[in-house]
Amino acid sequence: MTPPPPSRLPFFVYGTLRPGQANHLLVDGRTAPPRPAVLPGALLYAGPGYPYAVAAPADPAAEPDTDTDTVHGELLDVLPDQYDTVLADLDRLEDHVPGARGNLYERLALRVVCDGQQCDAWVYLAGEELARTLRSSGRIIPGGDWVRAQRAHRPS
C-alpha cells in the first residue's frame, strides 16, 4: 500500500496563476521564485479565458505524443507561513471543495518534472464531468503551453 502524499506539496500551475497572468497576484510574494516544470501524461484544453488540464487517455499501445501529452507550467513552492491561506485561496479560485462531487477542478497529487527531477505536486485538473465534455468536443492547445499559445494569438 502506498502512503498518502504529504499535504504541503508545491503547486504546479499552467494557466492564469503563472507569472505575468491575471491570477498570479494571488500567489505573488507568497511563494519562492517559480521554476519551469512539466506535467507529463496530460492534455491541455482551451477554455473561456483560461485552460483546463485533463489526464491523457491511458492507451498502453500508444506512444506518448510530447506535442500534446505534456502540459507546461511552473512549480510554486509556497512559503511555510503562507501555505494554509494560499491553499484555501487556490481551492476557492479553482472552485474546488475537497471531497465534494461536481467540482470544476479537482486538486490531485501528481508527478511533475522540474529541473530534470520528478516530484509530487498539487495539480488542478478539470473535474470529471467537464473532462468528459472536453475530451469529446474541446480544443487541445498544441504544445501544451497556454501562455505561449496566448502570445501566438496576440496581434503584434
Side-chain angles (χ1 to χ4, degrees):
M1 183 170 187
T2 306
S7 61
R8 291 187 175 249
L9 296 173
F11 290 84
F12 174 76
V13 298
Y14 54 85
T16 65
L17 287 163
R18 291 175 71 181
Q21 301 305 305
N23 287 319
H24 185 70
L25 291 173
L26 279 175
V27 295
D28 194 31
R30 298 162 71 186
T31 68
R35 298 178 288 151
V38 295
L39 172 64
L43 303 171
L44 193 61
Y45 287 89
Y50 45 87
Y52 297 99
V54 175
D59 181 355
E63 287 292 320
D65 181 350
T66 55
D67 187 47
T68 58
D69 291 0
T70 301
V71 175
H72 295 263
E74 272 81 34
L75 195 63
L76 301 178
D77 292 296
V78 178
L79 300 175
D81 64 332
Q82 297 289 317
Y83 199 92
D84 292 334
T85 55
V86 168
L87 175 63
D89 289 345
L90 295 183
D91 278 354
R92 194 169 22 264
L93 174 70
E94 305 297 9
D95 197 15
H96 172 77
V97 177
R101 297 178 61 86
N103 284 322
L104 179 63
Y105 287 93
E106 292 296 338
R107 178 170 38 88
L108 303 170
L110 299 174
R111 184 77 29 109
V112 300
V113 179
C114 181
D115 300 325
Q117 305 268 344
Q118 292 187 356
C119 68
D120 290 330
W122 289 123
V123 181
Y124 290 92
L125 294 184
E128 188 178 319
E129 186 176 319
L130 176 58
R132 272 195 304 275
T133 301
L134 290 167
R135 285 187 185 110
S136 69
S137 61
R139 182 179 62 83
I140 292 177
I141 297 173
D145 189 329
W146 184 72
V147 170
R148 188 174 351 147
Q150 295 290 98
R151 283 189 206 123
H153 287 90
R154 284 191 190 132
S156 301

